[in-house]
Amino acid sequence: YEPIKPFNPKKSELAFIGMGILIFMTVFMGGFILGFSAALIHPALMALILIFIPAAVIIWTKLMFYFPAKATGRHISLKQSFKMTTGYVWKMIASSFLAYLKLFFIMIAFIIAAMILIAGLAYLAGSLGLPQSITNITLGTLMTLPLVAFFQPVFTIIWVTVLSNYYQYVMQNEPLPETDPKTGPQTGDSND
Protein backbone atom coordinates (compact mmCIF):
# COMPACT_ATOMS: atom_id res chain seq x y z
CA TYR A 1 0.00 0.00 0.00
CA GLU A 2 1.30 3.39 -0.97
CA PRO A 3 -0.58 6.38 0.47
CA ILE A 4 -1.77 9.11 -1.87
CA LYS A 5 0.22 12.34 -1.86
CA PRO A 6 -2.46 15.06 -1.96
CA PHE A 7 -0.08 17.75 -3.26
CA ASN A 8 1.65 15.48 -5.76
CA PRO A 9 -0.97 13.04 -7.13
CA LYS A 10 -0.14 10.43 -9.73
CA LYS A 11 -1.74 10.53 -13.15
CA SER A 12 -3.91 7.49 -12.27
CA GLU A 13 -5.11 9.21 -9.07
CA LEU A 14 -6.05 12.32 -11.01
CA ALA A 15 -7.91 10.14 -13.53
CA PHE A 16 -9.77 8.43 -10.67
CA ILE A 17 -10.85 11.73 -9.11
CA GLY A 18 -11.54 13.42 -12.45
CA MET A 19 -13.71 10.57 -13.72
CA GLY A 20 -15.72 10.58 -10.48
CA ILE A 21 -16.35 14.30 -10.81
CA LEU A 22 -17.18 13.97 -14.52
CA ILE A 23 -19.70 11.16 -14.01
CA PHE A 24 -21.32 12.95 -11.06
CA MET A 25 -21.56 16.26 -12.93
CA THR A 26 -22.96 14.56 -16.03
CA VAL A 27 -25.73 12.88 -14.03
CA PHE A 28 -26.39 16.03 -11.97
CA MET A 29 -26.52 18.32 -15.02
CA GLY A 30 -28.69 15.83 -16.93
CA GLY A 31 -31.22 15.84 -14.08
CA PHE A 32 -31.03 19.62 -13.70
CA ILE A 33 -31.51 20.29 -17.42
CA LEU A 34 -34.36 17.78 -17.63
CA GLY A 35 -36.10 19.20 -14.55
CA PHE A 36 -35.57 22.83 -15.55
CA SER A 37 -36.74 22.23 -19.12
CA ALA A 38 -39.78 20.28 -17.96
CA ALA A 39 -40.71 23.03 -15.50
CA LEU A 40 -40.48 25.66 -18.25
CA ILE A 41 -42.47 23.67 -20.81
CA HIS A 42 -45.17 22.15 -18.61
CA PRO A 43 -45.16 21.12 -14.93
CA ALA A 44 -46.63 17.71 -15.81
CA LEU A 45 -43.39 16.89 -17.63
CA MET A 46 -41.66 16.83 -14.23
CA ALA A 47 -42.82 13.20 -14.16
CA LEU A 48 -39.91 12.50 -16.56
CA ILE A 49 -37.67 12.76 -13.49
CA LEU A 50 -39.28 9.50 -12.31
CA ILE A 51 -37.83 7.85 -15.43
CA PHE A 52 -34.51 9.70 -15.31
CA ILE A 53 -33.60 8.80 -11.72
CA PRO A 54 -33.75 4.97 -12.10
CA ALA A 55 -32.03 5.20 -15.50
CA ALA A 56 -29.26 7.36 -14.00
CA VAL A 57 -28.80 4.91 -11.10
CA ILE A 58 -28.49 1.98 -13.50
CA ILE A 59 -26.02 3.76 -15.78
CA TRP A 60 -24.05 5.05 -12.77
CA THR A 61 -23.83 1.49 -11.39
CA LYS A 62 -22.73 0.08 -14.75
CA LEU A 63 -19.82 2.55 -14.84
CA MET A 64 -18.66 1.90 -11.26
CA PHE A 65 -16.17 -0.94 -11.98
CA TYR A 66 -13.92 1.72 -13.50
CA PHE A 67 -13.06 2.92 -9.98
CA PRO A 68 -11.93 -0.30 -8.26
CA ALA A 69 -10.06 -1.19 -11.46
CA LYS A 70 -8.23 2.14 -11.38
CA ALA A 71 -7.58 1.79 -7.64
CA THR A 72 -5.96 -1.62 -8.15
CA GLY A 73 -3.78 -0.50 -11.05
CA ARG A 74 -5.89 -1.89 -13.88
CA HIS A 75 -6.79 0.27 -16.82
CA ILE A 76 -10.30 -0.33 -18.10
CA SER A 77 -12.51 2.04 -20.01
CA LEU A 78 -16.05 3.03 -19.09
CA LYS A 79 -17.21 0.85 -22.00
CA GLN A 80 -15.42 -2.16 -20.49
CA SER A 81 -16.94 -1.38 -17.08
CA PHE A 82 -20.35 -1.26 -18.75
CA LYS A 83 -19.76 -4.77 -20.16
CA MET A 84 -18.27 -6.19 -16.96
CA THR A 85 -21.31 -5.21 -14.86
CA THR A 86 -23.76 -7.04 -17.13
CA GLY A 87 -25.90 -9.24 -14.89
CA TYR A 88 -24.64 -7.61 -11.69
CA VAL A 89 -26.35 -4.21 -11.63
CA TRP A 90 -29.53 -5.29 -9.84
CA LYS A 91 -27.52 -7.52 -7.51
CA MET A 92 -25.26 -4.59 -6.57
CA ILE A 93 -28.21 -2.24 -6.05
CA ALA A 94 -30.15 -4.82 -4.00
CA SER A 95 -27.08 -5.76 -1.93
CA SER A 96 -26.31 -2.16 -1.09
CA PHE A 97 -29.98 -1.50 -0.28
CA LEU A 98 -30.09 -4.45 2.12
CA ALA A 99 -26.79 -3.40 3.66
CA TYR A 100 -28.11 0.16 4.09
CA LEU A 101 -31.36 -0.85 5.83
CA LYS A 102 -30.09 -1.23 9.40
CA LEU A 103 -28.08 2.00 9.23
CA PHE A 104 -31.02 3.77 7.57
CA PHE A 105 -33.35 2.87 10.46
CA ILE A 106 -30.71 3.96 12.98
CA MET A 107 -30.43 7.27 11.11
CA ILE A 108 -34.23 7.73 11.13
CA ALA A 109 -34.30 7.05 14.88
CA PHE A 110 -31.50 9.59 15.35
CA ILE A 111 -33.38 12.20 13.29
CA ILE A 112 -36.59 11.69 15.28
CA ALA A 113 -34.75 11.87 18.62
CA ALA A 114 -32.77 14.92 17.47
CA MET A 115 -35.91 16.70 16.28
CA ILE A 116 -37.63 16.09 19.61
CA LEU A 117 -34.55 17.36 21.45
CA ILE A 118 -34.24 20.38 19.15
CA ALA A 119 -37.93 21.24 19.59
CA GLY A 120 -37.46 21.15 23.35
CA LEU A 121 -34.30 23.23 23.20
CA ALA A 122 -35.92 25.72 20.83
CA TYR A 123 -38.86 26.09 23.22
CA LEU A 124 -36.44 26.57 26.13
CA ALA A 125 -34.39 29.12 24.17
CA GLY A 126 -37.58 30.98 23.21
CA SER A 127 -38.71 31.11 26.83
CA LEU A 128 -35.30 32.51 27.80
CA GLY A 129 -35.70 35.25 25.18
CA LEU A 130 -32.89 34.11 22.85
CA PRO A 131 -33.25 35.17 19.18
CA GLN A 132 -35.24 32.51 17.34
CA SER A 133 -33.31 32.72 14.04
CA ILE A 134 -29.90 32.16 15.68
CA THR A 135 -31.31 29.38 17.85
CA ASN A 136 -32.85 27.60 14.85
CA ILE A 137 -29.66 27.84 12.80
CA THR A 138 -27.49 26.60 15.69
CA LEU A 139 -29.76 23.69 16.57
CA GLY A 140 -30.25 22.74 12.92
CA THR A 141 -26.50 22.69 12.41
CA LEU A 142 -26.02 20.55 15.51
CA MET A 143 -28.53 18.04 14.12
CA THR A 144 -26.97 18.04 10.64
CA LEU A 145 -23.36 17.53 11.77
CA PRO A 146 -23.77 13.86 12.82
CA LEU A 147 -25.59 13.15 9.55
CA VAL A 148 -22.71 14.58 7.52
CA ALA A 149 -19.84 13.46 9.77
CA PHE A 150 -21.04 9.94 10.60
CA PHE A 151 -23.94 8.62 8.54
CA GLN A 152 -22.85 9.83 5.09
CA PRO A 153 -19.32 8.35 5.35
CA VAL A 154 -20.71 5.03 6.65
CA PHE A 155 -23.19 4.85 3.75
CA THR A 156 -20.26 5.50 1.40
CA ILE A 157 -18.18 2.77 3.06
CA ILE A 158 -21.04 0.30 2.65
CA TRP A 159 -21.36 1.14 -1.07
CA VAL A 160 -17.60 0.87 -1.63
CA THR A 161 -17.60 -2.50 0.16
CA VAL A 162 -20.43 -3.83 -2.02
CA LEU A 163 -18.76 -2.47 -5.17
CA SER A 164 -15.35 -3.91 -4.23
CA ASN A 165 -16.77 -7.34 -3.45
CA TYR A 166 -18.65 -7.54 -6.76
CA TYR A 167 -15.64 -6.26 -8.68
CA GLN A 168 -13.41 -8.87 -7.02
CA TYR A 169 -15.97 -11.61 -7.76
CA VAL A 170 -16.18 -10.62 -11.42
CA MET A 171 -12.39 -10.47 -11.75
CA GLN A 172 -12.05 -13.96 -10.25
CA ASN A 173 -14.93 -15.63 -12.07
CA GLU A 174 -15.45 -13.86 -15.39
CA PRO A 175 -13.11 -13.49 -18.36
CA LEU A 176 -11.58 -10.06 -18.74
CA PRO A 177 -13.18 -7.83 -21.35
CA GLU A 178 -11.28 -7.24 -24.54
CA THR A 179 -8.38 -4.83 -24.37
CA ASP A 180 -9.32 -1.31 -25.33
CA PRO A 181 -6.91 0.09 -27.96
CA LYS A 182 -6.96 3.50 -26.25
CA THR A 183 -6.04 2.23 -22.78
CA GLY A 184 -3.64 -0.55 -23.73
CA PRO A 185 -3.37 -4.05 -22.33
CA GLN A 186 -4.75 -5.10 -18.95
CA THR A 187 -2.30 -5.03 -16.07
CA GLY A 188 -2.09 -7.40 -13.13
CA ASP A 189 -3.55 -10.89 -13.01
CA SER A 190 -7.22 -11.78 -12.84
CA ASN A 191 -7.01 -12.69 -9.14
CA ASP A 192 -6.59 -9.06 -7.96
Side-chain angles (χ1 to χ4, degrees):
Y1 170 72
E2 184 181 327
I4 187 172
K5 297 175 185 167
F7 300 110
N8 190 17
K10 296 178 187 172
K11 187 177 179 182
S12 63
E13 294 164 348
L14 288 173
F16 185 96
I17 294 166
M19 189 59 72
I21 292 169
L22 177 68
I23 292 172
F24 172 79
M25 290 305 294
T26 302
V27 171
F28 176 79
M29 289 306 294
F32 176 78
I33 291 168
L34 177 66
F36 188 73
S37 301
L40 287 177
I41 297 169
H42 194 279
L45 292 176
M46 290 297 287
L48 291 174
I49 292 291
L50 298 175
I51 297 168
F52 178 79
I53 291 173
V57 168
I58 291 168
I59 292 168
W60 176 276
T61 305
K62 289 199 68 66
L63 300 176
M64 285 295 105
F65 276 7
Y66 174 87
F67 297 101
K70 190 60 83 173
T72 56
R74 292 185 183 277
H75 303 289
I76 67 168
S77 66
L78 293 177
K79 182 178 178 182
Q80 288 171 309
S81 174
F82 208 85
K83 288 180 185 176
M84 290 170 69
T85 54
T86 300
Y88 295 101
V89 171
W90 293 112
K91 292 175 184 177
M92 288 171 26
I93 292 171
S95 296
S96 60
F97 176 77
L98 291 174
Y100 289 153
L101 273 180
K102 183 178 179 181
L103 183 63
F104 177 75
F105 288 125
I106 292 170
M107 184 181 73
I108 294 298
F110 166 78
I111 290 171
I112 291 170
M115 289 178 77
I116 291 169
L117 180 64
I118 285 174
L121 290 173
Y123 178 77
L124 179 64
S127 66
L128 294 174
L130 296 173
Q132 185 178 7
S133 60
I134 294 173
T135 303
N136 290 343
I137 291 169
T138 304
L139 294 175
T141 302
L142 289 175
M143 185 181 109
T144 305
L145 282 176
L147 295 174
V148 173
F150 176 75
F151 288 104
Q152 180 58 44
V154 174
F155 279 118
T156 302
I157 290 167
I158 290 170
W159 168 246
V160 169
T161 302
V162 169
L163 175 63
S164 299
N165 285 325
Y166 273 98
Y167 174 76
Q168 184 177 17
Y169 177 83
V170 169
M171 292 308 294
Q172 291 175 349
N173 296 296
E174 304 282 336
L176 289 173
E178 294 179 21
T179 302
D180 189 334
K182 294 179 184 175
T183 60
Q186 298 293 323
T187 59
D189 63 57
S190 61
N191 292 325
D192 286 347

